[in-house]
Amino acid sequence: MRIASALLVALAATSAPRDASAFLFPSLPSPSSSSSLAGAKPSPVVPPSALVLPSSRRRLLRSSSSSTTRLFMGWGPDPVWSPGTVESNMQACPSGSCVSIKINVDDGTGFVHPGQYVQVKVAGDDDAQPSFLAIASAPTGELPKPAPKGKKAKEADAAAGPEPASPVPATWEFLVKKTDNNAWITDAAPGTVFDVSQVMGGGFPIADNIDGFKYDFPTQNLLLFATGSGISPIRSAIESDQLGIAPPDGGGRTCTLYYGVRTPDDMPYVSKFPEWEARGVQVVPVVSRPDEKCASGAVWGGRTGYVQNALEEDGVAIPRNSGALMCGVKGMCEGVRSMLEESGVFEGRVLT
């Protein structure tokens, strides 16, 4: 374990979830002027399955009826809105730069793959621009059954049609970074109702590209990379039980998480690190501004620089038997992907 135990205790004590309504959060600079997260210069987030797209690429045409409201866009599926109720809203890290919000939905069966996302907007406001949020908690739906083998089995399955799924209520957790224009969600009190879309995106194609037999070399080692709020879908993957990882000598894949932030106070989920390590994930936090004074009093003694630097220092021990999942700033994703592929990791096993 590469996290100094004293630092873990200090950060865990200061980053325990607290009711967001009890805090006066400092206003943050706009994304265009904010300083970079660990990974590279400020740049758009590269999320799984089009998690976020620049607003300049969104073409909005709105239509409403008495039963549903749809937001038509020039890309992706049309959202179908359902109500989602805030269960809790907690400060997610000591700096207050992000919150962890839980939303209760009527049907969680559509969330089956880590990396899937939803759109969330102010309820009943046709002019409200939605936020695109990766679901940070573990999937709440069941994975699809394997396709039947044999011609007759496939024909019988096609004739029977898909099995109807009954709605199953679920609670989804989201990690939301505060910006100048999203107080409507980051300051939302428990009981607030939002419009939440159906689950979107295919998520990380773990079964096909990590577990499948596309390559001659089985995946024995997983590398996870995240910066800032990009940890959301990576957390979902870790806690999904879909990665096939296990503690040392546990018979599963080995796994290392490189997680980059600006300061120790900007690091969510510190209290979860021991749990992730118990699952078999070696957590390697990387801080890009270790000398910046932290309000919590934390002093950083771990890895410094950017996620790319840490990977370059450690290298990839078994490239042909390795796969990767990543989510974060564009510079980090591009740099890490380039290093992995140059080292010999199969391109199709680098998932974003």
Side-chain angles (χ1 to χ4, degrees), residues 7-308:
L7 176 61
L8 245 182
V9 172
L11 277 178
T14 56
S15 62
R18 289 170 282 186
D19 192 317
S21 63
F23 288 83
L24 292 176
F25 293 114
S27 59
L28 300 179
S30 64
S32 61
S33 62
S34 62
S35 55
S36 66
L37 296 173
K41 297 178 180 179
S43 54
V45 170
V46 175
S49 307
L51 174 62
V52 177
L53 288 176
S55 58
S56 61
R57 292 180 58 187
R58 300 175 187 166
R59 295 189 292 108
L60 308 183
L61 294 174
R62 303 180 186 276
S63 173
S64 62
S65 67
S66 58
S67 57
T68 61
T69 300
R70 292 174 178 266
L71 177 67
F72 295 95
M73 296 189 174
W75 47 266
D78 301 329
V80 178
W81 304 108
S82 299
T85 305
V86 176
E87 178 181 296
S88 63
N89 187 355
M90 309 289 182
Q91 180 172 314
C93 58
S95 69
S97 60
C98 54
V99 299
S100 178
I101 183 168
K102 292 183 178 180
I103 297 179
N104 297 324
V105 295
D106 293 335
D107 184 13
T109 58
F111 177 33
V112 295
H113 299 294
Q116 291 183 298
Y117 65 97
V118 294
Q119 298 182 36
V120 181
K121 72 176 183 67
V122 175
D125 186 350
D126 291 347
D127 295 322
Q129 183 169 314
S131 287
F132 290 64
L133 302 175
I135 306 172
S137 42
T140 49
E142 295 184 4
L143 285 168
K145 295 179 180 179
K149 296 181 180 179
K151 182 178 180 181
K152 290 185 178 180
K154 290 181 179 178
E155 289 176 350
D157 187 68
E163 296 182 7
S166 300
V168 178
T171 300
W172 292 336
E173 188 171 344
F174 303 90
L175 182 67
V176 186
K177 180 181 177 181
K178 295 198 70 178
T179 66
D180 285 343
N181 59 2
N182 70 351
W184 60 270
I185 186 169
T186 57
D187 291 348
T192 301
V193 177
F194 292 128
D195 283 338
V196 181
S197 75
Q198 75 275 29
V199 176
M200 296 182 169
F204 293 117
I206 296 168
D208 291 337
N209 291 40
I210 301 296
D211 297 335
F213 297 95
K214 289 184 177 180
Y215 310 99
D216 294 333
F217 300 85
T219 305
Q220 298 174 333
N221 177 52
L222 282 176
L223 298 170
L224 311 177
F225 303 91
T227 55
S229 59
I231 192 64
S232 294
I234 300 300
R235 173 197 163 185
S236 179
I238 293 172
E239 299 179 4
S240 70
D241 294 327
Q242 296 181 23
L243 295 181
I245 58 179
D249 301 322
R253 297 177 175 126
T254 59
C255 184
T256 303
L257 165 64
Y258 293 92
Y259 181 29
V261 294
R262 289 181 297 180
T263 74
D265 276 5
D266 294 314
M267 192 179 298
Y269 301 145
V270 170
S271 62
K272 284 186 168 289
F273 289 177
E275 173 192 330
W276 295 349
E277 297 223 349
R279 289 175 173 267
V281 180
Q282 181 185 20
V283 182
V284 183
V286 185
V287 170
S288 64
R289 298 185 179 182
D291 298 328
E292 190 168 311
K293 186 176 180 180
C294 293
S296 69
V299 177
W300 186 247
R303 304 285 286 272
T304 60
Y306 299 114
V307 166
Q308 303 96 303

Side-chain angles (χ1 to χ4, degrees), residues 298-351:
V299 177
W300 186 247
R303 304 285 286 272
T304 60
Y306 299 114
V307 166
Q308 303 96 303
N309 304 140
L311 175 61
E312 187 174 20
E313 292 166 0
D314 294 348
V316 183
I318 46 174
R320 292 286 177 175
N321 296 95
S322 295
L325 282 67
M326 67 180 75
C327 183
V329 292
K330 183 178 180 181
M332 182 277 286
C333 291
E334 290 179 343
V336 167
R337 175 182 286 276
S338 176
M339 279 187 263
L340 291 175
E341 293 178 1
E342 287 177 6
S343 73
V345 177
F346 291 107
E347 180 181 356
R349 281 189 176 156
V350 182
L351 310 183

